[in-house]
């Protein structure tokens, strides 16, 4: 240890246990809030298109689909890595974030749904949102609330 502090970096030191206030009861509330926000934003987009408030962005469709495929690949690879492969990258990310695995999995699922909301808002095509919402709901099954060890 030098005069300015420890020589080790945050990436190489082990982090203490999970955040104490993220209890299973609070995780259930967080899950409900994430789902409610996602459904509410989807509803706002649907209402805006139903009332004709938002013009369709058809010129963006090709670019958005490329971004969508990249987003889906990233999120699905991360979810598979967390549940199956357990790579060093995933383990390091989990240790650094200090949030429960369930919450991290839900956030990857939410990433898909929120991309779908953005796509829906720009194109009036709800398919990406519906597919993202299905995977978001599946993330609740794949990453159930349980006590962290």
């Amino acid at each position: 240890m030098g005069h300015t502090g420890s020589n080790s970096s945050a990436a190489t030191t082990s982090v203490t246990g999970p955040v104490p206030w993220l209890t299973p009861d609070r995780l259930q509330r967080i899950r409900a809030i994430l789902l409610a926000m996602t459904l509410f934003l989807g509803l706002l987009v649907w209402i805006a298109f139903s009332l004709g408030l938002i013009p369709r962005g058809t010129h963006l469709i090709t670019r958005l689909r490329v971004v969508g495929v990249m987003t889906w690949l990233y999120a699905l690879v991360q979810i598979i890595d967390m549940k199956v492969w357990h790579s060093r990258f995933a383990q390091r990310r989990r240790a650094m974030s200090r949030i429960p695995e369930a919450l991290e999995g839900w956030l990857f699922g939410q990433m898909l749904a929120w991309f779908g909301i953005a796509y829906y808002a720009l194109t009036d095509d709800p398919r990406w949102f519906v597919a993202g919402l299905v995977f978001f709901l599946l993330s609740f099954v794949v990453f159930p609330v349980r006590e962290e060890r």
Side-chain angles (χ1 to χ4, degrees), residues 4 7 15 21 55 59-60 89 94 106 108 119 125 141:
T4 58
N7 292 332
V15 179
W21 61 270
H59 61 286
L60 298 172
F89 174 74
R94 290 253 318 111
W106 301 338
F108 281 122
Y119 186 86
D125 181 1
V141 175

Side-chain angles (χ1 to χ4, degrees), residues 31-44 109-114 117 129 132-133 136 140:
R31 179 175 62 186
I33 290 168
L34 291 173
L35 181 59
M37 287 184 339
T38 301
L39 292 173
F40 180 70
L41 287 174
L43 178 66
L44 286 178
Q110 185 187 29
M111 180 191 309
L112 301 175
W114 281 38
I117 290 171
F129 171 61
L133 186 59
F136 185 35
F140 297 157

Side-chain angles (χ1 to χ4, degrees), residues 13-137:
T13 59
S14 62
V15 179
T16 59
V19 181
W21 61 270
L22 284 175
T23 63
D25 184 48
R26 286 197 176 144
L27 282 175
Q28 290 176 355
R29 287 188 211 142
I30 290 170
R31 179 175 62 186
I33 290 168
L34 291 173
L35 181 59
M37 287 184 339
T38 301
L39 292 173
F40 180 70
L41 287 174
L43 178 66
L44 286 178
V45 171
W46 179 76
I47 289 171
F49 275 116
S50 297
L51 297 176
L53 300 175
I54 302 175
R56 289 189 171 100
T58 55
H59 61 286
L60 298 172
I61 289 176
T62 303
R63 290 184 192 133
L64 284 173
R65 286 182 182 159
V66 170
V67 171
V69 168
M70 292 181 348
T71 301
W72 274 73
L73 285 174
Y74 176 77
L76 293 176
V77 165
Q78 294 303 317
I79 288 171
I80 292 169
D81 190 11
M82 287 173 60
K83 291 307 273 187
V84 179
W85 298 324
H86 307 288
S87 72
R88 284 184 298 141
F89 174 74
Q91 292 172 359
R92 192 171 354 153
R93 184 185 64 238
R94 290 253 318 111
M96 292 296 294
S97 71
R98 295 181 50 206
I99 61 175
E101 181 182 56
L103 180 55
E104 195 168 351
W106 301 338
L107 292 174
F108 281 122
Q110 185 187 29
M111 180 191 309
L112 301 175
W114 281 38
F115 170 79
I117 290 171
Y119 186 86
Y120 186 18
L122 293 169
T123 64
D124 191 24
D125 181 1
R127 292 178 291 182
W128 285 81
F129 171 61
V130 171
L133 186 59
V134 167
F135 272 88
F136 185 35
L137 293 172

